[in-house]
Amino acid sequence: MKPHRIIALLPLVAILSACNAVVLHPSGDVAVQQRDLLLYATELMAIVIVPVAFLTILFAWHYRHTNTKARYEPEWHHSTKLEVVIWGVPVIIIIFLGMATWTTAHTLDPYRQITRIAPDQLVPPGTKPLQIEVVALDWKWLFIYPEQGIATVNDVAAPVNQPIEFRLTSSRVQNALSIPALAGQVYAMPGMETELHAVINEPGDYRGYSSRFSGAGFSKMHFTFHGKSAADFDKWVADAKATGTTLDSATYLQLAVPSEGEPVHRYANVDPELYKTILDRCVGQSPNMCLSTMRANDLKKGNGLCRPNVASN
Amino acid sequence: MSPDTPPLDPIFGRLTLDAIPYQEPILVVTFAVVALAGIFAVGALTYFRLWGYLWREWITSVDHKRIGIMYIVLAIIMLVRGFADAIMMRLQQAIAFNGSEGYLPAHHYDQIFTAHGVIMIFFVATPLIVGVMNFVIPLQIGARDVSFPYLNNLGFWLTAVAAILVNVSLFVGEFSQGGWVGEPPLTGAEASPGVGVDYYLWALQISGLGTIIGGINLLATIIKMRAPGLTFMKLPIFCWTSLCVNALIVLSFPFLTIAVTLLTLDRLFGTHFFTADFGGNPMAYVNLVWIWGHPEVYILILPALGVYSEVAAVFSGKRLFGYTSMVYATVSITVIGFVVWLHHFFTMGSGASVNGFFGLMTALIAIPTGVKVYNWLFTMYRGRVRFEVPMMWTISFMLTFLLGGLTGVLCSIPAADFQLHNSLFLVGHFHNVAIGAIVFAMMAAIDYWFPKAFGFRLEPFWGKLSVWFWTVGFFVAFLPIYVAGLSGVTRRTRVFDDPSEQNLQILFVIAAIGAFIALLGVVFFLVQLFVSIRNREALRDTTGDPWNARTLEWSTSSPPPEYNFAFTPVVHDVDAWADMKARGYSRPSEGFKPIHMPRNTATGIVASVLLLIFSFAVIWYMWLVAGVSFALLLLVLIGHTFNYNRSFHIPADVVARTESERTRLLAQQG
Ligand code: HEM
Ligand SMILES: [Cu+2]
């Protein structure tokens, strides 16, 4: 094959491999709606882009310098009818796109409770979402299950078709929890709590990782998200329980020491206050004043100083 | 600083021999090459006795044409550095599969993507557009110079020393590893204690200052120095986009200055603006930096769109279609561009309505942008399209930009951006625009205005090759990157050690091949410059108007005399020069008067070098040096205000001689 043929084929190979890209073939209802939105917007814009691409090539060729048969009107530079089309078409497309933008900003808001499990399946009334507290550490992920009382590192699971409520924070720098098959990503930030609501529809193992650069170990800061049947999920929890280990503030501080490529491990018990103190930035014997105390001082017109022993007036 | 840090050396601060990375072979080789090239350049300048010439005619020059050219030369040199970084990243990502760590450790790789981003934005794209604006605007509006010639020179030297600072970090210490916008807490004192972030902050601070100064100058120039009759609605589109851009610069760069200053205070003096503890708020930095960052994106793209408008009209042999639409489109992009910044962090956890609002505003900006594309399209319609190199860049842009616009709109839909944000899809999008719109436009601009600047054309053969290789290279390099993004690969990834993503290696291999194809585009451009300079006699243009163009800069000689126009032109229509040609304009050949011109000054370079020394000293905590250089800097700046001898007159007979020489050349044309 001639070299330029090979070069022409390269992008094709790339495009073909898009066919099984995870964002286009997700397994959770939120991600499915995000995918549909992407495709809808693409189709909408294709209405202008395809003709414009075609006309660009056509005009450039037809009105080429050497084609003296083509009409030449050097002074023609205005046409009200054309101007109306030129402004009108994008306006109409953006109206449609804008409506989709606004509604999906609300329906797919990560803070919003999941209301449907699948396109034609609403969440049964009274369903409680599975709570998962997420802490981004340098450079691994800690998942705490407050209801089950277990915790895991770089490994997370949820039963299929049950809404999940992630609450996220971070230990030191910003990260983002990203699970494309499930629902995309949300930042995890120190001293701050964000949320992500989602549901997984198909059992399987999905890639999860940090998608906000957080330093040297960033590339290896990934984990597996398992969608499991209810029975398998219970077994997974029981396995964690069987380890007999406990995550309290002392073990947490050890865990928080920066490390790379941390293997999966699990804790049978978790200090129920741990997540709150991480979020409050005063785990264990921390010299820092808890953020909540500082805020309370500020509200009391306190001086906002950060030493616990400074009295507010 | 914690109490157990050793006391600082009074002279060298924290700078020790360990800061020189002589154990890293890549850097040692780079240093050897740079040093050899430097010695060679110094030797050549001395041998040909060019120092005096350089100093008088370029370094201290306040001529906007010379300054514009210096900006562009700086940008081309930095493009080579930025591209080298890109190739290194592409190689690393192509091999770091199946358990391989690649050849770059994190400490090195993370500096490379940061340096690449910073260099490409601040020291390639920005100097290119500022340089082109500097060269073109006064000529297009019929002015003899800019409003503030000394500030113009100072602005250039500030940008240049900031670029030097970034490159010094390569050999003394390290550069930031925190990405091109450097968001804390990652770039705070706790997570990044080294000098890398300090180099980054000072480079941005100084180049930002240079850009603001340049922006004020060009804004004033366009508003105050237009030729008689050149009302706003007759202004060439490139000047319109430049007007908007410089307004954007003046309004937005102060936000960068604030963000960078506060982060510097956090790092130097332990304030807590952006720390996670002690009541600081890192999200404030993210907002500040993007309130600047989004307008910055338009600062780079608007002049590019202006260039395409000029080129499309000239090489279609026709007036631009829909001039008024174009103006309104430009102005609305400028205004709306200020209320979209949050689309850079939909995923930071703001509420649905906030995200929705910024998503809508971003969608809104797509309308005027789309209108512009139609206008270029209908400029070709019923024209006579000449496929000269600038027009080839333009057509390539019109096709490439469609994809970049599409993917940009996708990223602006908040719900979709929860998937696309920070993925390689985003990287694909912004390179689609950075390369397909900005770089292509600047290549077109260089090709288009080169004959004006130097009096001879660029050899088209190598130029056309450059168009093809850049275009094909872009698609081969970035289509796979889009796909990798859709496959869930995030940006700034150094190694792919997750077993489930091993099948993606082929994408990165293709992307690396694409990067090499684009590299050939750069090489062919450099070859084009070299070949054209060698064949300059054959490529000589004595008409001053080689393209049969339409705007005022083509009415004067190539290169234009120092004073641009012997008589200030009077404008009657859009495309003043086309109008003058159509009405059978003849050049006046007598009645010349002395011309008042600004005098050269060394203050720009002296002040900038002092600032460079000061910032280097602060980065390394060399407080003594910092104090002395700062005091000297103040002295120089104050001293300059006492210099009243700032202008001179070019005598009428010199003007007459220059103009009659041009008359003679024009007559030779027949
Ligand atoms: C063919 C030419 C180019 C190639 C091959 C290239 C390649 C790359 C690569 C591999 C990355 C890192 C992506 C990642 O984070 O995984 C990157 C980042 C980036 N590039 Fe380029 N690039 C090119 C040209 C440009 C140009 C012309 C500009 C701007 C005018 C630019 C601006 C940036 C920026 C701002 C970043 C982000 C840096 C960061 O993550 O902080 N690049 N580029
Ligand atoms: Cu933006």
Side-chain angles (χ1 to χ4, degrees), chain B residues 83 86 89-90 93 113 116-117 120-121 125 179-180 424 427 430-431 434-435 439 478 491-492 515 518:
Chain B
F83 215 106
M89 288 188 286
R90 278 278 145 269
Q93 287 195 328
F113 69 67
H116 167 79
M120 285 298 196
I121 298 288
W180 79 278
L424 284 188
V427 171
F430 69 65
H431 282 90
I435 294 173
V439 173
F478 285 99
R491 71 195 289 195
R492 299 170 181 166

PDB file of all heavy atoms in Angstrom, chain B residues 83 86 89-90 93 113 116-117 120-121 125 179-180 424 427 430-431 434-435 439 478 491-492 515 518, ligand 1:
ATOM      1  N   PHE B  83       6.610  22.401  20.753  1.00  0.00           N
ATOM      2  CA  PHE B  83       6.370  21.215  19.929  1.00  0.00           C
ATOM      3  C   PHE B  83       7.245  20.055  20.393  1.00  0.00           C
ATOM      4  O   PHE B  83       6.813  18.906  20.402  1.00  0.00           O
ATOM      5  CB  PHE B  83       6.633  21.532  18.455  1.00  0.00           C
ATOM      6  CG  PHE B  83       5.698  20.790  17.555  1.00  0.00           C
ATOM      7  CD1 PHE B  83       4.656  21.461  16.938  1.00  0.00           C
ATOM      8  CD2 PHE B  83       5.825  19.433  17.341  1.00  0.00           C
ATOM      9  CE1 PHE B  83       3.765  20.784  16.129  1.00  0.00           C
ATOM     10  CE2 PHE B  83       4.937  18.746  16.534  1.00  0.00           C
ATOM     11  CZ  PHE B  83       3.906  19.424  15.927  1.00  0.00           C
ATOM     12  N   ALA B  86       5.474  18.482  23.055  1.00  0.00           N
ATOM     13  CA  ALA B  86       4.330  17.694  22.570  1.00  0.00           C
ATOM     14  C   ALA B  86       4.791  16.326  22.081  1.00  0.00           C
ATOM     15  O   ALA B  86       4.196  15.301  22.410  1.00  0.00           O
ATOM     16  CB  ALA B  86       3.611  18.455  21.449  1.00  0.00           C
ATOM     17  N   MET B  89       5.581  14.013  24.949  1.00  0.00           N
ATOM     18  CA  MET B  89       4.388  13.450  25.592  1.00  0.00           C
ATOM     19  C   MET B  89       3.768  12.359  24.727  1.00  0.00           C
ATOM     20  O   MET B  89       3.333  11.319  25.224  1.00  0.00           O
ATOM     21  CB  MET B  89       3.366  14.555  25.837  1.00  0.00           C
ATOM     22  CG  MET B  89       3.759  15.500  26.937  1.00  0.00           C
ATOM     23  SD  MET B  89       2.425  16.635  27.325  1.00  0.00           S
ATOM     24  CE  MET B  89       2.432  17.747  25.954  1.00  0.00           C
ATOM     25  N   ARG B  90       3.712  12.638  23.425  1.00  0.00           N
ATOM     26  CA  ARG B  90       3.107  11.651  22.528  1.00  0.00           C
ATOM     27  C   ARG B  90       3.876  10.330  22.553  1.00  0.00           C
ATOM     28  O   ARG B  90       3.284   9.266  22.523  1.00  0.00           O
ATOM     29  CB  ARG B  90       3.043  12.221  21.107  1.00  0.00           C
ATOM     30  CG  ARG B  90       1.857  13.122  20.875  1.00  0.00           C
ATOM     31  CD  ARG B  90       0.614  12.294  20.556  1.00  0.00           C
ATOM     32  NE  ARG B  90      -0.595  12.878  21.101  1.00  0.00           N
ATOM     33  CZ  ARG B  90      -1.088  12.608  22.300  1.00  0.00           C
ATOM     34  NH1 ARG B  90      -0.491  11.753  23.106  1.00  0.00           N
ATOM     35  NH2 ARG B  90      -2.196  13.167  22.725  1.00  0.00           N
ATOM     36  N   GLN B  93       3.160   8.519  25.930  1.00  0.00           N
ATOM     37  CA  GLN B  93       1.844   7.870  25.998  1.00  0.00           C
ATOM     38  C   GLN B  93       1.751   6.687  25.032  1.00  0.00           C
ATOM     39  O   GLN B  93       1.018   5.739  25.286  1.00  0.00           O
ATOM     40  CB  GLN B  93       0.735   8.886  25.708  1.00  0.00           C
ATOM     41  CG  GLN B  93       0.533   9.855  26.861  1.00  0.00           C
ATOM     42  CD  GLN B  93      -0.772  10.625  26.757  1.00  0.00           C
ATOM     43  OE1 GLN B  93      -1.243  10.916  25.667  1.00  0.00           O
ATOM     44  NE2 GLN B  93      -1.356  10.975  27.884  1.00  0.00           N
ATOM     45  N   PHE B 113       3.843  18.556  30.449  1.00  0.00           N
ATOM     46  CA  PHE B 113       2.538  19.025  29.969  1.00  0.00           C
ATOM     47  C   PHE B 113       2.227  20.422  30.469  1.00  0.00           C
ATOM     48  O   PHE B 113       1.586  21.203  29.776  1.00  0.00           O
ATOM     49  CB  PHE B 113       1.411  18.001  30.224  1.00  0.00           C
ATOM     50  CG  PHE B 113       1.012  17.773  31.659  1.00  0.00           C
ATOM     51  CD1 PHE B 113       0.402  18.769  32.393  1.00  0.00           C
ATOM     52  CD2 PHE B 113       1.216  16.536  32.248  1.00  0.00           C
ATOM     53  CE1 PHE B 113       0.015  18.540  33.703  1.00  0.00           C
ATOM     54  CE2 PHE B 113       0.833  16.302  33.562  1.00  0.00           C
ATOM     55  CZ  PHE B 113       0.232  17.318  34.289  1.00  0.00           C
ATOM     56  N   HIS B 116       4.339  22.710  28.238  1.00  0.00           N
ATOM     57  CA  HIS B 116       3.760  22.738  26.896  1.00  0.00           C
ATOM     58  C   HIS B 116       2.541  23.677  26.855  1.00  0.00           C
ATOM     59  O   HIS B 116       2.445  24.537  25.986  1.00  0.00           O
ATOM     60  CB  HIS B 116       3.367  21.323  26.473  1.00  0.00           C
ATOM     61  CG  HIS B 116       2.502  21.254  25.257  1.00  0.00           C
ATOM     62  ND1 HIS B 116       2.988  21.375  23.979  1.00  0.00           N
ATOM     63  CD2 HIS B 116       1.159  21.091  25.117  1.00  0.00           C
ATOM     64  CE1 HIS B 116       1.994  21.282  23.116  1.00  0.00           C
ATOM     65  NE2 HIS B 116       0.862  21.107  23.777  1.00  0.00           N
ATOM     66  N   GLY B 117       1.634  23.498  27.803  1.00  0.00           N
ATOM     67  CA  GLY B 117       0.434  24.333  27.826  1.00  0.00           C
ATOM     68  C   GLY B 117       0.786  25.803  28.011  1.00  0.00           C
ATOM     69  O   GLY B 117       0.316  26.676  27.271  1.00  0.00           O
ATOM     70  N   MET B 120       2.672  27.155  24.858  1.00  0.00           N
ATOM     71  CA  MET B 120       1.822  27.289  23.678  1.00  0.00           C
ATOM     72  C   MET B 120       0.842  28.456  23.830  1.00  0.00           C
ATOM     73  O   MET B 120       0.584  29.184  22.881  1.00  0.00           O
ATOM     74  CB  MET B 120       1.051  25.997  23.425  1.00  0.00           C
ATOM     75  CG  MET B 120       1.917  24.907  22.836  1.00  0.00           C
ATOM     76  SD  MET B 120       2.560  25.396  21.224  1.00  0.00           S
ATOM     77  CE  MET B 120       3.110  23.849  20.566  1.00  0.00           C
ATOM     78  N   ILE B 121       0.280  28.633  25.012  1.00  0.00           N
ATOM     79  CA  ILE B 121      -0.702  29.703  25.186  1.00  0.00           C
ATOM     80  C   ILE B 121      -0.015  31.062  25.342  1.00  0.00           C
ATOM     81  O   ILE B 121      -0.334  32.017  24.635  1.00  0.00           O
ATOM     82  CB  ILE B 121      -1.584  29.434  26.422  1.00  0.00           C
ATOM     83  CG1 ILE B 121      -2.364  28.139  26.248  1.00  0.00           C
ATOM     84  CG2 ILE B 121      -2.513  30.616  26.682  1.00  0.00           C
ATOM     85  CD1 ILE B 121      -3.482  28.191  25.265  1.00  0.00           C
ATOM     86  N   ALA B 125       0.954  31.321  21.075  1.00  0.00           N
ATOM     87  CA  ALA B 125      -0.276  31.890  20.529  1.00  0.00           C
ATOM     88  C   ALA B 125      -0.387  33.389  20.834  1.00  0.00           C
ATOM     89  O   ALA B 125      -0.638  34.198  19.943  1.00  0.00           O
ATOM     90  CB  ALA B 125      -1.478  31.131  21.075  1.00  0.00           C
ATOM     91  N   GLY B 179      -0.176  21.828  35.851  1.00  0.00           N
ATOM     92  CA  GLY B 179      -1.086  22.142  34.746  1.00  0.00           C
ATOM     93  C   GLY B 179      -1.017  23.611  34.374  1.00  0.00           C
ATOM     94  O   GLY B 179      -0.521  24.430  35.137  1.00  0.00           O
ATOM     95  N   TRP B 180      -1.548  23.940  33.195  1.00  0.00           N
ATOM     96  CA  TRP B 180      -1.294  25.284  32.663  1.00  0.00           C
ATOM     97  C   TRP B 180      -2.068  26.385  33.373  1.00  0.00           C
ATOM     98  O   TRP B 180      -1.686  27.537  33.297  1.00  0.00           O
ATOM     99  CB  TRP B 180      -1.518  25.339  31.151  1.00  0.00           C
ATOM    100  CG  TRP B 180      -2.933  25.433  30.712  1.00  0.00           C
ATOM    101  CD1 TRP B 180      -3.809  24.418  30.580  1.00  0.00           C
ATOM    102  CD2 TRP B 180      -3.626  26.627  30.316  1.00  0.00           C
ATOM    103  NE1 TRP B 180      -5.007  24.885  30.141  1.00  0.00           N
ATOM    104  CE2 TRP B 180      -4.927  26.232  29.965  1.00  0.00           C
ATOM    105  CE3 TRP B 180      -3.281  27.972  30.213  1.00  0.00           C
ATOM    106  CZ2 TRP B 180      -5.888  27.151  29.528  1.00  0.00           C
ATOM    107  CZ3 TRP B 180      -4.230  28.874  29.781  1.00  0.00           C
ATOM    108  CH2 TRP B 180      -5.514  28.472  29.447  1.00  0.00           C
ATOM    109  N   LEU B 424      -9.750  13.147  27.363  1.00  0.00           N
ATOM    110  CA  LEU B 424      -8.982  13.455  26.157  1.00  0.00           C
ATOM    111  C   LEU B 424      -9.893  14.016  25.063  1.00  0.00           C
ATOM    112  O   LEU B 424      -9.409  14.633  24.118  1.00  0.00           O
ATOM    113  CB  LEU B 424      -8.228  12.224  25.670  1.00  0.00           C
ATOM    114  CG  LEU B 424      -6.987  11.887  26.498  1.00  0.00           C
ATOM    115  CD1 LEU B 424      -6.190  10.785  25.830  1.00  0.00           C
ATOM    116  CD2 LEU B 424      -6.097  13.108  26.703  1.00  0.00           C
ATOM    117  N   VAL B 427      -9.286  17.516  25.391  1.00  0.00           N
ATOM    118  CA  VAL B 427      -7.963  17.820  24.835  1.00  0.00           C
ATOM    119  C   VAL B 427      -8.067  17.872  23.304  1.00  0.00           C
ATOM    120  O   VAL B 427      -7.522  18.771  22.654  1.00  0.00           O
ATOM    121  CB  VAL B 427      -6.931  16.769  25.286  1.00  0.00           C
ATOM    122  CG1 VAL B 427      -5.615  16.940  24.555  1.00  0.00           C
ATOM    123  CG2 VAL B 427      -6.714  16.874  26.790  1.00  0.00           C
ATOM    124  N   PHE B 430      -9.821  21.273  22.345  1.00  0.00           N
ATOM    125  CA  PHE B 430      -9.098  22.546  22.353  1.00  0.00           C
ATOM    126  C   PHE B 430      -7.904  22.552  21.418  1.00  0.00           C
ATOM    127  O   PHE B 430      -7.529  23.611  20.911  1.00  0.00           O
ATOM    128  CB  PHE B 430      -8.811  23.102  23.753  1.00  0.00           C
ATOM    129  CG  PHE B 430      -7.830  22.366  24.609  1.00  0.00           C
ATOM    130  CD1 PHE B 430      -6.496  22.276  24.244  1.00  0.00           C
ATOM    131  CD2 PHE B 430      -8.229  21.815  25.804  1.00  0.00           C
ATOM    132  CE1 PHE B 430      -5.592  21.629  25.052  1.00  0.00           C
ATOM    133  CE2 PHE B 430      -7.327  21.164  26.618  1.00  0.00           C
ATOM    134  CZ  PHE B 430      -6.014  21.062  26.249  1.00  0.00           C
ATOM    135  N   HIS B 431      -7.365  21.384  21.107  1.00  0.00           N
ATOM    136  CA  HIS B 431      -6.324  21.385  20.077  1.00  0.00           C
ATOM    137  C   HIS B 431      -6.938  21.600  18.703  1.00  0.00           C
ATOM    138  O   HIS B 431      -6.331  22.217  17.827  1.00  0.00           O
ATOM    139  CB  HIS B 431      -5.519  20.095  20.112  1.00  0.00           C
ATOM    140  CG  HIS B 431      -4.520  20.075  21.216  1.00  0.00           C
ATOM    141  ND1 HIS B 431      -4.793  19.606  22.466  1.00  0.00           N
ATOM    142  CD2 HIS B 431      -3.232  20.506  21.257  1.00  0.00           C
ATOM    143  CE1 HIS B 431      -3.731  19.741  23.229  1.00  0.00           C
ATOM    144  NE2 HIS B 431      -2.761  20.284  22.523  1.00  0.00           N
ATOM    145  N   ALA B 434      -7.192  25.277  18.837  1.00  0.00           N
ATOM    146  CA  ALA B 434      -5.892  25.941  18.958  1.00  0.00           C
ATOM    147  C   ALA B 434      -5.081  25.762  17.677  1.00  0.00           C
ATOM    148  O   ALA B 434      -4.448  26.700  17.201  1.00  0.00           O
ATOM    149  CB  ALA B 434      -5.117  25.378  20.144  1.00  0.00           C
ATOM    150  N   ILE B 435      -5.125  24.576  17.117  1.00  0.00           N
ATOM    151  CA  ILE B 435      -4.356  24.340  15.896  1.00  0.00           C
ATOM    152  C   ILE B 435      -5.162  24.790  14.677  1.00  0.00           C
ATOM    153  O   ILE B 435      -4.734  25.634  13.909  1.00  0.00           O
ATOM    154  CB  ILE B 435      -3.971  22.850  15.795  1.00  0.00           C
ATOM    155  CG1 ILE B 435      -3.009  22.499  16.927  1.00  0.00           C
ATOM    156  CG2 ILE B 435      -3.335  22.554  14.438  1.00  0.00           C
ATOM    157  CD1 ILE B 435      -2.690  21.038  17.025  1.00  0.00           C
ATOM    158  N   VAL B 439      -3.448  28.505  15.163  1.00  0.00           N
ATOM    159  CA  VAL B 439      -2.160  28.311  14.480  1.00  0.00           C
ATOM    160  C   VAL B 439      -2.318  28.504  12.967  1.00  0.00           C
ATOM    161  O   VAL B 439      -1.535  29.220  12.335  1.00  0.00           O
ATOM    162  CB  VAL B 439      -1.570  26.924  14.798  1.00  0.00           C
ATOM    163  CG1 VAL B 439      -0.340  26.660  13.951  1.00  0.00           C
ATOM    164  CG2 VAL B 439      -1.221  26.831  16.272  1.00  0.00           C
ATOM    165  N   PHE B 478      -5.248  13.901  16.274  1.00  0.00           N
ATOM    166  CA  PHE B 478      -6.273  14.209  17.265  1.00  0.00           C
ATOM    167  C   PHE B 478      -7.590  13.455  17.113  1.00  0.00           C
ATOM    168  O   PHE B 478      -8.337  13.375  18.090  1.00  0.00           O
ATOM    169  CB  PHE B 478      -6.482  15.717  17.374  1.00  0.00           C
ATOM    170  CG  PHE B 478      -5.348  16.371  18.125  1.00  0.00           C
ATOM    171  CD1 PHE B 478      -4.312  16.999  17.450  1.00  0.00           C
ATOM    172  CD2 PHE B 478      -5.287  16.293  19.506  1.00  0.00           C
ATOM    173  CE1 PHE B 478      -3.245  17.553  18.140  1.00  0.00           C
ATOM    174  CE2 PHE B 478      -4.225  16.843  20.207  1.00  0.00           C
ATOM    175  CZ  PHE B 478      -3.205  17.473  19.526  1.00  0.00           C
ATOM    176  N   ARG B 491      -7.195  13.310  30.755  1.00  0.00           N
ATOM    177  CA  ARG B 491      -6.002  14.054  30.361  1.00  0.00           C
ATOM    178  C   ARG B 491      -4.922  13.915  31.436  1.00  0.00           C
ATOM    179  O   ARG B 491      -5.197  13.542  32.565  1.00  0.00           O
ATOM    180  CB  ARG B 491      -6.341  15.517  30.136  1.00  0.00           C
ATOM    181  CG  ARG B 491      -6.639  16.254  31.432  1.00  0.00           C
ATOM    182  CD  ARG B 491      -7.312  17.583  31.210  1.00  0.00           C
ATOM    183  NE  ARG B 491      -6.415  18.562  30.648  1.00  0.00           N
ATOM    184  CZ  ARG B 491      -6.681  19.880  30.632  1.00  0.00           C
ATOM    185  NH1 ARG B 491      -7.806  20.322  31.133  1.00  0.00           N
ATOM    186  NH2 ARG B 491      -5.837  20.727  30.116  1.00  0.00           N
ATOM    187  N   ARG B 492      -3.703  14.256  31.061  1.00  0.00           N
ATOM    188  CA  ARG B 492      -2.549  14.266  31.964  1.00  0.00           C
ATOM    189  C   ARG B 492      -2.214  12.873  32.500  1.00  0.00           C
ATOM    190  O   ARG B 492      -1.594  12.732  33.535  1.00  0.00           O
ATOM    191  CB  ARG B 492      -2.771  15.246  33.118  1.00  0.00           C
ATOM    192  CG  ARG B 492      -2.947  16.676  32.613  1.00  0.00           C
ATOM    193  CD  ARG B 492      -3.406  17.643  33.662  1.00  0.00           C
ATOM    194  NE  ARG B 492      -3.573  18.995  33.087  1.00  0.00           N
ATOM    195  CZ  ARG B 492      -4.207  19.981  33.680  1.00  0.00           C
ATOM    196  NH1 ARG B 492      -4.720  19.813  34.861  1.00  0.00           N
ATOM    197  NH2 ARG B 492      -4.321  21.154  33.095  1.00  0.00           N
ATOM    198  N   ALA B 515       1.440  13.360  15.245  1.00  0.00           N
ATOM    199  CA  ALA B 515       2.246  14.461  15.753  1.00  0.00           C
ATOM    200  C   ALA B 515       3.495  14.640  14.892  1.00  0.00           C
ATOM    201  O   ALA B 515       3.924  15.765  14.619  1.00  0.00           O
ATOM    202  CB  ALA B 515       2.628  14.206  17.210  1.00  0.00           C
ATOM    203  N   ALA B 518       2.536  16.416  11.712  1.00  0.00           N
ATOM    204  CA  ALA B 518       2.394  17.852  11.963  1.00  0.00           C
ATOM    205  C   ALA B 518       3.759  18.497  12.160  1.00  0.00           C
ATOM    206  O   ALA B 518       3.988  19.638  11.740  1.00  0.00           O
ATOM    207  CB  ALA B 518       1.499  18.094  13.176  1.00  0.00           C
TER     208      ALA B 518
HETATM  209  C1  HEM C   1       0.491  19.075  16.794  1.00  0.00           C
HETATM  210  C2  HEM C   1       0.698  19.881  17.775  1.00  0.00           C
HETATM  211  C3  HEM C   1       0.405  19.535  19.217  1.00  0.00           C
HETATM  212  C4  HEM C   1       0.464  18.326  19.833  1.00  0.00           C
HETATM  213  C5  HEM C   1       0.863  16.981  19.248  1.00  0.00           C
HETATM  214  C6  HEM C   1       0.075  18.540  21.198  1.00  0.00           C
HETATM  215  C7  HEM C   1       0.027  17.564  22.170  1.00  0.00           C
HETATM  216  C8  HEM C   1      -0.415  17.738  23.462  1.00  0.00           C
HETATM  217  C9  HEM C   1      -0.470  16.714  24.460  1.00  0.00           C
HETATM  218  C10 HEM C   1      -0.033  15.272  24.273  1.00  0.00           C
HETATM  219  C11 HEM C   1      -0.975  17.277  25.584  1.00  0.00           C
HETATM  220  C12 HEM C   1      -1.229  16.591  26.910  1.00  0.00           C
HETATM  221  C13 HEM C   1      -2.603  15.996  26.882  1.00  0.00           C
HETATM  222  C14 HEM C   1      -2.899  15.367  28.178  1.00  0.00           C
HETATM  223  O1  HEM C   1      -3.103  16.112  29.154  1.00  0.00           O
HETATM  224  O2  HEM C   1      -2.949  14.134  28.240  1.00  0.00           O
HETATM  225  C15 HEM C   1      -1.242  18.656  25.320  1.00  0.00           C
HETATM  226  C16 HEM C   1      -1.775  19.547  26.228  1.00  0.00           C
HETATM  227  C17 HEM C   1      -2.015  20.890  25.953  1.00  0.00           C
HETATM  228  N1  HEM C   1      -1.766  21.544  24.761  1.00  0.00           N
HETATM  229 FE1  HEM C   1      -0.987  20.706  23.093  1.00  0.00          FE
HETATM  230  N2  HEM C   1      -0.222  19.864  21.392  1.00  0.00           N
HETATM  231  C18 HEM C   1      -0.032  20.509  20.191  1.00  0.00           C
HETATM  232  C19 HEM C   1      -0.240  21.850  19.936  1.00  0.00           C
HETATM  233  C20 HEM C   1      -0.784  22.763  20.837  1.00  0.00           C
HETATM  234  C21 HEM C   1      -1.074  24.131  20.553  1.00  0.00           C
HETATM  235  C22 HEM C   1      -0.839  24.810  19.217  1.00  0.00           C
HETATM  236  C23 HEM C   1      -1.595  24.681  21.682  1.00  0.00           C
HETATM  237  C24 HEM C   1      -2.074  26.096  21.971  1.00  0.00           C
HETATM  238  C25 HEM C   1      -2.007  27.114  21.228  1.00  0.00           C
HETATM  239  C26 HEM C   1      -1.623  23.654  22.681  1.00  0.00           C
HETATM  240  C27 HEM C   1      -2.082  23.837  23.965  1.00  0.00           C
HETATM  241  C28 HEM C   1      -2.147  22.860  24.923  1.00  0.00           C
HETATM  242  C29 HEM C   1      -2.636  23.070  26.267  1.00  0.00           C
HETATM  243  C30 HEM C   1      -3.155  24.377  26.860  1.00  0.00           C
HETATM  244  C31 HEM C   1      -2.548  21.837  26.916  1.00  0.00           C
HETATM  245  C32 HEM C   1      -2.971  21.525  28.341  1.00  0.00           C
HETATM  246  C33 HEM C   1      -1.810  21.437  29.253  1.00  0.00           C
HETATM  247  C34 HEM C   1      -2.282  21.017  30.585  1.00  0.00           C
HETATM  248  O3  HEM C   1      -2.847  19.924  30.700  1.00  0.00           O
HETATM  249  O4  HEM C   1      -2.122  21.793  31.537  1.00  0.00           O
HETATM  250  N3  HEM C   1      -1.105  22.508  22.151  1.00  0.00           N
HETATM  251  N4  HEM C   1      -0.880  18.913  24.003  1.00  0.00           N
END
